[in-house]
Amino acid sequence: MATQLRSGQKLLFIGDSITDCGRRDAQRPLGLGYVKWVADLLTLREPAKRVGIVNKGIGGDNVLGLRSRWSDDVVRERPDWLSVKIGINDLHAATFGGRKDLAPPAFEAAYRGILERTRRELPKCRVLLIDCFYLSLDRRPESQRGQVLKAIPAYLAATARLSREFRTLHIATHALFRRLLQHCPPDVFCNEPVHPNLTGHLAIAEAVYAALS
């Protein structure tokens, strides 16, 4: 099925390192992750369309970082479609760094402020929210990975609430990977729990393409 994107429109991706994926270095301007895969899928499946793809991911970013650069990296670009993927750095900073300003209630409040601004300043922009995710099967409470898996549902629930509130498209990426992990070990998709390999990025890109369809 073709996407709802039209020729002449702009699709902007913003987020953390999973979105960045080298787009500011040798792999500029799209990086080598799911953003590049989405662009390639559009080229292969809908070659007649001319859609502008912009990658504004920055490695290590969190929701407060997004908020601080929203004017330059989103509003100024005037996208027709906007994809936001954020949360795993917020979780790590709150869980292991004591950052209360990135704990789930504060994360949700800051995220809501960003979406309110987007609705106000880019009223025609369609928005897609992509869940953070963590690829591990280690649920031992004494392990760091187990603590992340215990903490992540609160961030996923916040994103889901915001998606309903603002009537955005939404990809439950963590749930997608949990289904895949029923059949394959984590390292098929990710060499460590946070940063996907090419197969993992392709899984995200396929989900983005489906959501935009």
Side-chain angles (χ1 to χ4, degrees), residues 81-100:
W81 297 80
L82 171 66
S83 171
V84 187
K85 192 223 152 289
I86 203 71
I88 197 62
N89 294 317
D90 307 73
L91 182 157
H92 273 94
T95 304
F96 305 110
R99 289 283 301 273
K100 294 182 179 180

Side-chain angles (χ1 to χ4, degrees), residues 81-148:
W81 297 80
L82 171 66
S83 171
V84 187
K85 192 223 152 289
I86 203 71
I88 197 62
N89 294 317
D90 307 73
L91 182 157
H92 273 94
T95 304
F96 305 110
R99 289 283 301 273
K100 294 182 179 180
D101 57 343
L102 294 173
F107 168 82
E108 185 171 352
Y111 209 159
R112 177 176 287 106
I114 287 172
L115 295 174
E116 287 173 344
R117 183 177 178 192
T118 303
R119 175 188 283 175
R120 184 172 62 251
E121 299 188 35
L122 301 170
K124 295 182 179 181
C125 181
R126 295 287 305 277
V127 178
L128 166 65
L129 304 186
I130 302 178
D131 282 351
C132 61
F133 56 86
Y134 196 75
L135 275 75
S136 175
L137 299 174
D138 182 359
R139 292 189 174 276
R140 294 173 301 141
E142 69 273 16
S143 72
Q144 178 172 317
R145 294 184 177 194
Q147 292 174 60
V148 172

Side-chain angles (χ1 to χ4, degrees), residues 108 131 152-162 164:
E108 185 171 352
D131 282 351
I152 200 168
Y155 290 87
L156 304 180
T159 304
R161 280 192 296 270
L162 292 170
R164 291 192 296 270

Side-chain angles (χ1 to χ4, degrees), residues 6-197:
R6 300 194 304 271
S7 287
Q9 290 189 324
K10 180 187 291 187
L11 167 59
L12 188 148
F13 294 87
I14 194 166
D16 50 32
S17 58
I18 300 162
T19 301
D20 183 340
C21 211
R23 68 96 180 172
R24 295 174 294 152
D25 301 311
Q27 309 305 329
R28 62 172 58 92
L30 297 183
L32 281 180
Y34 75 92
V35 177
K36 180 65 163 58
W37 276 119
V38 170
D40 289 343
L41 289 173
L42 282 167
T43 298
L44 293 172
R45 296 174 179 174
E46 304 177 65
K49 287 185 179 178
R50 296 293 180 266
V51 177
I53 307 291
V54 178
N55 187 345
K56 292 292 184 178
I58 291 183
D61 214 355
N62 55 45
V63 72
L64 301 182
L66 294 193
R67 186 175 67 184
S68 70
R69 59 190 179 93
W70 208 251
S71 293
D72 285 339
D73 286 0
V74 177
V75 176
R76 184 179 62 86
E77 291 282 346
R78 312 298 298 179
D80 302 284
W81 297 80
L82 171 66
S83 171
V84 187
K85 192 223 152 289
I86 203 71
I88 197 62
N89 294 317
D90 307 73
L91 182 157
H92 273 94
T95 304
F96 305 110
R99 289 283 301 273
K100 294 182 179 180
D101 57 343
L102 294 173
F107 168 82
E108 185 171 352
Y111 209 159
R112 177 176 287 106
I114 287 172
L115 295 174
E116 287 173 344
R117 183 177 178 192
T118 303
R119 175 188 283 175
R120 184 172 62 251
E121 299 188 35
L122 301 170
K124 295 182 179 181
C125 181
R126 295 287 305 277
V127 178
L128 166 65
L129 304 186
I130 302 178
D131 282 351
C132 61
F133 56 86
Y134 196 75
L135 275 75
S136 175
L137 299 174
D138 182 359
R139 292 189 174 276
R140 294 173 301 141
E142 69 273 16
S143 72
Q144 178 172 317
R145 294 184 177 194
Q147 292 174 60
V148 172
L149 289 174
K150 181 179 179 181
I152 200 168
Y155 290 87
L156 304 180
T159 304
R161 280 192 296 270
L162 292 170
S163 180
R164 291 192 296 270
E165 179 180 340
F166 290 89
R167 298 182 180 180
T168 76
L169 302 173
H170 178 221
I171 298 176
T173 331
H174 185 71
L176 165 66
F177 281 119
R178 298 306 294 182
R179 290 193 296 272
L180 291 171
L181 292 182
Q182 294 177 16
H183 308 283
C184 306
D187 56 8
V188 169
F189 310 102
C190 208
N191 296 327
E192 37 78 17
V194 172
H195 299 96
N197 57 26

